[in-house]
Short mmCIF file of all heavy atoms in Angstrom, two decimals:
data_model
loop_
_atom_site.label_atom_id
_atom_site.label_comp_id
_atom_site.label_asym_id
_atom_site.label_seq_id
_atom_site.Cartn_x
_atom_site.Cartn_y
_atom_site.Cartn_z
N ASN A 348 57.90 296.43 90.00
CA ASN A 348 57.59 297.70 89.34
C ASN A 348 56.09 297.96 89.36
O ASN A 348 55.65 299.12 89.53
CB ASN A 348 58.11 297.68 87.90
CG ASN A 348 57.80 298.94 87.15
OD1 ASN A 348 56.92 298.97 86.29
ND2 ASN A 348 58.52 300.02 87.46
N ASN A 349 55.29 296.91 89.23
CA ASN A 349 53.84 297.07 89.29
C ASN A 349 53.37 297.48 90.69
O ASN A 349 52.30 298.09 90.83
CB ASN A 349 53.15 295.77 88.88
CG ASN A 349 53.26 295.50 87.40
OD1 ASN A 349 53.35 296.42 86.60
ND2 ASN A 349 53.26 294.23 87.02
N ILE A 350 54.17 297.16 91.70
CA ILE A 350 53.81 297.49 93.08
C ILE A 350 54.33 298.85 93.48
O ILE A 350 53.61 299.68 94.04
CB ILE A 350 54.36 296.42 94.04
CG1 ILE A 350 53.77 295.05 93.72
CG2 ILE A 350 54.08 296.80 95.50
CD1 ILE A 350 54.42 293.90 94.46
N TYR A 351 55.62 299.12 93.17
CA TYR A 351 56.30 300.29 93.70
C TYR A 351 56.55 301.41 92.69
O TYR A 351 56.82 302.54 93.09
CB TYR A 351 57.66 299.88 94.29
CG TYR A 351 57.58 298.92 95.43
CD1 TYR A 351 57.93 297.58 95.26
CD2 TYR A 351 57.16 299.32 96.69
CE1 TYR A 351 57.87 296.68 96.32
CE2 TYR A 351 57.09 298.43 97.75
CZ TYR A 351 57.45 297.11 97.55
OH TYR A 351 57.39 296.23 98.59
N GLY A 352 56.52 301.08 91.41
CA GLY A 352 56.97 302.06 90.42
C GLY A 352 58.48 301.97 90.31
O GLY A 352 59.01 301.10 89.63
N ILE A 353 59.19 302.88 90.95
CA ILE A 353 60.65 302.77 91.03
C ILE A 353 60.99 301.66 92.01
O ILE A 353 60.50 301.65 93.15
CB ILE A 353 61.29 304.10 91.47
CG1 ILE A 353 61.07 305.17 90.38
CG2 ILE A 353 62.77 303.93 91.76
CD1 ILE A 353 61.58 306.54 90.76
N VAL A 354 61.85 300.73 91.61
CA VAL A 354 62.23 299.60 92.45
C VAL A 354 63.61 299.87 93.03
O VAL A 354 64.60 299.94 92.30
CB VAL A 354 62.24 298.29 91.64
CG1 VAL A 354 62.61 297.12 92.55
CG2 VAL A 354 60.89 298.05 90.97
N SER A 355 63.67 300.04 94.33
CA SER A 355 64.95 300.31 94.99
C SER A 355 65.53 299.02 95.56
O SER A 355 64.84 298.00 95.71
CB SER A 355 64.76 301.33 96.11
OG SER A 355 64.10 300.74 97.21
N TRP A 356 66.81 299.09 95.92
CA TRP A 356 67.45 297.94 96.57
C TRP A 356 66.77 297.61 97.89
O TRP A 356 66.76 296.46 98.32
CB TRP A 356 68.94 298.18 96.75
CG TRP A 356 69.73 297.84 95.53
CD1 TRP A 356 70.24 298.69 94.59
CD2 TRP A 356 70.08 296.52 95.10
NE1 TRP A 356 70.88 297.99 93.60
CE2 TRP A 356 70.79 296.65 93.89
CE3 TRP A 356 69.85 295.24 95.60
CZ2 TRP A 356 71.30 295.55 93.19
CZ3 TRP A 356 70.34 294.14 94.91
CH2 TRP A 356 71.05 294.31 93.72
N GLU A 357 66.19 298.61 98.54
CA GLU A 357 65.49 298.36 99.79
C GLU A 357 64.25 297.48 99.58
O GLU A 357 63.82 296.77 100.50
CB GLU A 357 65.09 299.68 100.45
CG GLU A 357 64.48 299.51 101.84
CD GLU A 357 64.36 300.83 102.58
OE1 GLU A 357 63.34 301.52 102.38
OE2 GLU A 357 65.29 301.16 103.33
N ASN A 358 63.67 297.52 98.38
CA ASN A 358 62.54 296.65 98.06
C ASN A 358 62.95 295.20 97.90
O ASN A 358 62.08 294.32 97.77
CB ASN A 358 61.85 297.10 96.77
CG ASN A 358 61.32 298.52 96.82
OD1 ASN A 358 61.43 299.26 95.84
ND2 ASN A 358 60.75 298.92 97.95
N VAL A 359 64.25 294.96 97.88
CA VAL A 359 64.81 293.62 97.66
C VAL A 359 65.57 293.11 98.88
O VAL A 359 65.48 291.94 99.23
CB VAL A 359 65.73 293.63 96.42
CG1 VAL A 359 66.38 292.27 96.19
CG2 VAL A 359 64.97 294.08 95.18
N LEU A 360 66.31 294.00 99.54
CA LEU A 360 67.18 293.61 100.66
C LEU A 360 66.70 294.25 101.96
O LEU A 360 67.24 295.25 102.42
CB LEU A 360 68.63 294.02 100.36
CG LEU A 360 69.31 293.27 99.21
CD1 LEU A 360 70.69 293.85 98.95
CD2 LEU A 360 69.40 291.77 99.52
N SER A 361 65.67 293.67 102.52
CA SER A 361 65.07 294.11 103.78
C SER A 361 64.08 293.01 104.16
O SER A 361 63.94 292.01 103.44
CB SER A 361 64.35 295.45 103.61
OG SER A 361 63.29 295.33 102.67
N LYS A 362 63.41 293.18 105.29
CA LYS A 362 62.38 292.21 105.66
C LYS A 362 61.27 292.17 104.61
O LYS A 362 60.82 291.11 104.20
CB LYS A 362 61.82 292.54 107.04
CG LYS A 362 62.81 292.32 108.16
CD LYS A 362 62.24 292.68 109.52
CE LYS A 362 63.27 292.48 110.61
NZ LYS A 362 62.75 292.85 111.94
N THR A 363 60.87 293.35 104.16
CA THR A 363 59.88 293.41 103.07
C THR A 363 60.46 292.83 101.80
O THR A 363 59.76 292.17 101.02
CB THR A 363 59.44 294.87 102.84
OG1 THR A 363 58.84 295.38 104.02
CG2 THR A 363 58.43 294.95 101.70
N GLY A 364 61.75 293.06 101.57
CA GLY A 364 62.40 292.53 100.38
C GLY A 364 62.38 291.01 100.34
O GLY A 364 62.11 290.40 99.28
N LEU A 365 62.66 290.37 101.47
CA LEU A 365 62.61 288.91 101.51
C LEU A 365 61.19 288.42 101.25
O LEU A 365 60.98 287.43 100.54
CB LEU A 365 63.12 288.41 102.87
CG LEU A 365 63.14 286.90 103.07
CD1 LEU A 365 64.01 286.21 102.02
CD2 LEU A 365 63.64 286.55 104.47
N PHE A 366 60.21 289.13 101.81
CA PHE A 366 58.81 288.79 101.53
C PHE A 366 58.49 288.97 100.06
O PHE A 366 57.78 288.15 99.45
CB PHE A 366 57.88 289.64 102.38
CG PHE A 366 56.42 289.45 102.05
CD1 PHE A 366 55.79 288.23 102.28
CD2 PHE A 366 55.69 290.48 101.49
CE1 PHE A 366 54.45 288.06 101.96
CE2 PHE A 366 54.35 290.32 101.17
CZ PHE A 366 53.73 289.10 101.41
N ASN A 367 59.02 290.03 99.43
CA ASN A 367 58.79 290.25 98.00
C ASN A 367 59.35 289.11 97.17
O ASN A 367 58.72 288.66 96.20
CB ASN A 367 59.42 291.57 97.57
CG ASN A 367 58.65 292.79 98.04
OD1 ASN A 367 57.45 292.71 98.30
ND2 ASN A 367 59.33 293.92 98.15
N ILE A 368 60.54 288.66 97.52
CA ILE A 368 61.14 287.52 96.80
C ILE A 368 60.27 286.28 96.98
O ILE A 368 59.98 285.57 96.01
CB ILE A 368 62.57 287.26 97.31
CG1 ILE A 368 63.50 288.42 96.94
CG2 ILE A 368 63.12 285.95 96.74
CD1 ILE A 368 64.86 288.37 97.62
N TYR A 369 59.85 286.04 98.21
CA TYR A 369 59.06 284.84 98.50
C TYR A 369 57.74 284.86 97.76
O TYR A 369 57.35 283.86 97.13
CB TYR A 369 58.83 284.74 100.01
CG TYR A 369 58.01 283.54 100.40
CD1 TYR A 369 58.62 282.30 100.59
CD2 TYR A 369 56.63 283.64 100.58
CE1 TYR A 369 57.87 281.20 100.94
CE2 TYR A 369 55.87 282.55 100.93
CZ TYR A 369 56.49 281.32 101.10
OH TYR A 369 55.74 280.23 101.44
N ARG A 370 57.01 285.99 97.81
CA ARG A 370 55.70 286.00 97.17
C ARG A 370 55.81 285.99 95.64
O ARG A 370 54.90 285.52 94.96
CB ARG A 370 54.86 287.18 97.64
CG ARG A 370 55.40 288.56 97.35
CD ARG A 370 54.40 289.61 97.80
NE ARG A 370 54.94 290.96 97.75
CZ ARG A 370 54.18 292.05 97.79
NH1 ARG A 370 52.86 291.94 97.84
NH2 ARG A 370 54.72 293.24 97.76
N PHE A 371 56.92 286.50 95.09
CA PHE A 371 57.16 286.36 93.64
C PHE A 371 57.30 284.88 93.29
O PHE A 371 56.71 284.41 92.30
CB PHE A 371 58.41 287.14 93.24
CG PHE A 371 58.91 286.82 91.85
CD1 PHE A 371 58.25 287.32 90.74
CD2 PHE A 371 60.02 286.02 91.66
CE1 PHE A 371 58.70 287.03 89.44
CE2 PHE A 371 60.48 285.74 90.38
CZ PHE A 371 59.82 286.24 89.26
N LEU A 372 58.09 284.16 94.08
CA LEU A 372 58.27 282.73 93.82
C LEU A 372 56.95 281.96 93.97
O LEU A 372 56.66 281.06 93.19
CB LEU A 372 59.31 282.16 94.78
CG LEU A 372 60.74 282.66 94.61
CD1 LEU A 372 61.62 282.18 95.76
CD2 LEU A 372 61.33 282.20 93.28
N ARG A 373 56.16 282.36 94.94
CA ARG A 373 54.88 281.67 95.21
C ARG A 373 53.80 282.06 94.20
O ARG A 373 53.13 281.17 93.63
CB ARG A 373 54.42 282.02 96.62
CG ARG A 373 53.11 281.35 97.06
CD ARG A 373 52.61 282.00 98.35
NE ARG A 373 52.29 283.42 98.15
CZ ARG A 373 52.10 284.28 99.15
NH1 ARG A 373 52.22 283.89 100.40
NH2 ARG A 373 51.81 285.55 98.89
N ASP A 374 53.64 283.35 93.94
CA ASP A 374 52.48 283.83 93.18
C ASP A 374 52.73 283.92 91.68
O ASP A 374 51.78 283.79 90.90
CB ASP A 374 52.06 285.21 93.69
CG ASP A 374 51.66 285.20 95.16
OD1 ASP A 374 51.38 284.11 95.69
OD2 ASP A 374 51.66 286.28 95.78
N VAL A 375 53.98 284.16 91.29
CA VAL A 375 54.31 284.29 89.86
C VAL A 375 54.95 283.02 89.32
O VAL A 375 54.53 282.49 88.29
CB VAL A 375 55.23 285.51 89.62
CG1 VAL A 375 55.61 285.61 88.14
CG2 VAL A 375 54.56 286.80 90.09
N LYS A 376 55.95 282.51 90.01
CA LYS A 376 56.65 281.30 89.54
C LYS A 376 55.97 280.02 89.99
O LYS A 376 56.36 278.92 89.58
CB LYS A 376 58.10 281.33 90.00
CG LYS A 376 58.88 282.58 89.58
CD LYS A 376 58.79 282.86 88.08
CE LYS A 376 59.58 281.88 87.25
NZ LYS A 376 59.52 282.22 85.80
N ARG A 377 54.95 280.14 90.85
CA ARG A 377 54.08 279.03 91.25
C ARG A 377 54.81 277.91 92.00
O ARG A 377 54.46 276.73 91.88
CB ARG A 377 53.36 278.44 90.04
CG ARG A 377 52.47 279.44 89.30
CD ARG A 377 51.39 279.98 90.21
NE ARG A 377 50.52 280.94 89.51
CZ ARG A 377 49.56 281.65 90.10
NH1 ARG A 377 49.35 281.51 91.40
NH2 ARG A 377 48.84 282.49 89.40
N HIS A 378 55.79 278.27 92.79
CA HIS A 378 56.39 277.29 93.70
C HIS A 378 55.39 276.98 94.81
O HIS A 378 54.80 277.89 95.39
CB HIS A 378 57.69 277.83 94.30
CG HIS A 378 58.81 277.93 93.32
ND1 HIS A 378 59.64 276.87 93.02
CD2 HIS A 378 59.25 278.97 92.56
CE1 HIS A 378 60.54 277.24 92.12
NE2 HIS A 378 60.32 278.51 91.83
N PRO A 379 55.20 275.72 95.12
CA PRO A 379 54.17 275.37 96.12
C PRO A 379 54.56 275.81 97.53
O PRO A 379 55.73 275.75 97.92
CB PRO A 379 54.09 273.84 96.03
CG PRO A 379 55.38 273.42 95.42
CD PRO A 379 55.81 274.52 94.51
N GLU A 380 53.54 276.24 98.28
CA GLU A 380 53.71 276.62 99.67
C GLU A 380 52.90 275.65 100.53
O GLU A 380 51.68 275.58 100.39
CB GLU A 380 53.20 278.05 99.89
CG GLU A 380 53.25 278.50 101.35
CD GLU A 380 52.57 279.85 101.54
OE1 GLU A 380 51.31 279.88 101.53
OE2 GLU A 380 53.28 280.85 101.71
N PRO A 381 53.56 274.88 101.40
CA PRO A 381 52.81 273.97 102.26
C PRO A 381 51.81 274.72 103.14
O PRO A 381 52.08 275.84 103.58
CB PRO A 381 53.93 273.33 103.12
CG PRO A 381 55.20 273.53 102.36
CD PRO A 381 55.02 274.81 101.60
N GLU A 382 50.68 274.09 103.39
CA GLU A 382 49.63 274.76 104.18
C GLU A 382 50.13 275.11 105.58
O GLU A 382 49.84 276.18 106.10
CB GLU A 382 48.40 273.86 104.25
CG GLU A 382 47.22 274.52 104.95
CD GLU A 382 45.96 273.67 104.89
OE1 GLU A 382 45.91 272.73 104.07
OE2 GLU A 382 45.04 273.93 105.68
N TRP A 383 50.90 274.20 106.18
CA TRP A 383 51.40 274.47 107.54
C TRP A 383 52.33 275.67 107.55
O TRP A 383 52.38 276.42 108.53
CB TRP A 383 52.12 273.24 108.11
CG TRP A 383 53.30 272.75 107.30
CD1 TRP A 383 53.30 271.74 106.38
CD2 TRP A 383 54.63 273.25 107.35
NE1 TRP A 383 54.55 271.58 105.84
CE2 TRP A 383 55.40 272.49 106.42
CE3 TRP A 383 55.27 274.26 108.08
CZ2 TRP A 383 56.76 272.71 106.20
CZ3 TRP A 383 56.63 274.48 107.86
CH2 TRP A 383 57.36 273.72 106.95
N LEU A 384 53.08 275.87 106.45
CA LEU A 384 53.99 277.00 106.37
C LEU A 384 53.20 278.31 106.25
O LEU A 384 53.57 279.32 106.86
CB LEU A 384 54.94 276.85 105.18
CG LEU A 384 55.92 278.01 104.95
CD1 LEU A 384 56.81 278.23 106.16
CD2 LEU A 384 56.76 277.74 103.70
N SER A 385 52.13 278.28 105.48
CA SER A 385 51.29 279.47 105.35
C SER A 385 50.80 279.94 106.71
O SER A 385 50.81 281.14 107.01
CB SER A 385 50.10 279.16 104.44
OG SER A 385 49.26 280.28 104.32
N GLU A 386 50.42 279.00 107.56
CA GLU A 386 49.96 279.35 108.90
C GLU A 386 51.08 279.92 109.75
O GLU A 386 50.90 280.91 110.48
CB GLU A 386 49.37 278.11 109.57
CG GLU A 386 48.10 277.60 108.89
CD GLU A 386 47.58 276.32 109.52
OE1 GLU A 386 48.20 275.85 110.51
OE2 GLU A 386 46.57 275.79 109.03
N ARG A 387 52.27 279.34 109.66
CA ARG A 387 53.41 279.84 110.42
C ARG A 387 53.80 281.25 109.97
O ARG A 387 54.11 282.11 110.80
CB ARG A 387 54.60 278.91 110.25
CG ARG A 387 54.53 277.61 111.01
CD ARG A 387 55.88 276.92 110.95
NE ARG A 387 55.81 275.55 111.41
CZ ARG A 387 56.84 274.72 111.38
NH1 ARG A 387 58.01 275.13 110.91
NH2 ARG A 387 56.72 273.48 111.82
N LEU A 388 53.81 281.47 108.67
CA LEU A 388 54.20 282.78 108.16
C LEU A 388 53.21 283.86 108.58
O LEU A 388 53.58 285.01 108.79
CB LEU A 388 54.32 282.74 106.63
CG LEU A 388 55.43 281.85 106.06
CD1 LEU A 388 55.39 281.87 104.53
CD2 LEU A 388 56.79 282.28 106.56
N ALA A 389 51.94 283.47 108.67
CA ALA A 389 50.91 284.44 109.05
C ALA A 389 50.98 284.80 110.53
O ALA A 389 50.63 285.92 110.92
CB ALA A 389 49.53 283.88 108.72
N ASN A 390 51.49 283.87 111.35
CA ASN A 390 51.44 284.07 112.79
C ASN A 390 52.79 284.30 113.45
O ASN A 390 52.84 284.72 114.61
CB ASN A 390 50.77 282.85 113.45
CG ASN A 390 49.34 282.66 112.99
OD1 ASN A 390 48.57 283.61 112.94
ND2 ASN A 390 48.98 281.44 112.63
N GLY A 391 53.89 284.05 112.73
CA GLY A 391 55.21 284.14 113.35
C GLY A 391 56.06 285.24 112.73
O GLY A 391 55.59 286.06 111.94
N ASN A 392 57.34 285.23 113.12
CA ASN A 392 58.32 286.14 112.53
C ASN A 392 58.67 285.62 111.14
O ASN A 392 59.20 284.51 111.00
CB ASN A 392 59.57 286.20 113.43
CG ASN A 392 60.65 287.10 112.87
OD1 ASN A 392 61.19 286.89 111.80
ND2 ASN A 392 60.99 288.13 113.64
N PHE A 393 58.38 286.41 110.10
CA PHE A 393 58.50 285.92 108.73
C PHE A 393 59.91 285.42 108.44
O PHE A 393 60.10 284.30 107.91
CB PHE A 393 58.12 287.03 107.74
CG PHE A 393 58.18 286.60 106.31
CD1 PHE A 393 57.12 285.92 105.73
CD2 PHE A 393 59.31 286.85 105.53
CE1 PHE A 393 57.19 285.50 104.40
CE2 PHE A 393 59.38 286.44 104.21
CZ PHE A 393 58.31 285.77 103.65
#
């Protein structure tokens, strides 16, 4: 809601949606992200 205002299902179930779920887990819930994975996500197909 802080990002989009109205939150649609497309914000959850799409390529961006999967990224939204992942970054919520990483940035808000503080699940650790391995450094090697960060590099792969930045350079590959998410």
Side-chain angles (χ1 to χ4, degrees):
N348 179 254
N349 287 332
I350 299 170
Y351 298 107
I353 293 176
V354 181
S355 73
W356 275 102
E357 186 168 86
N358 300 140
V359 177
L360 293 175
S361 62
K362 291 179 181 178
T363 300
L365 181 58
F366 174 66
N367 286 336
I368 293 169
Y369 180 84
R370 62 176 171 164
F371 168 75
L372 294 171
R373 181 192 63 194
D374 300 342
V375 178
K376 304 307 288 182
R377 300 300 181 186
H378 290 275
E380 176 187 75
E382 185 174 344
W383 59 264
L384 177 59
S385 178
E386 295 177 1
R387 285 191 192 176
L388 294 178
N390 298 314
N392 179 299
F393 181 83

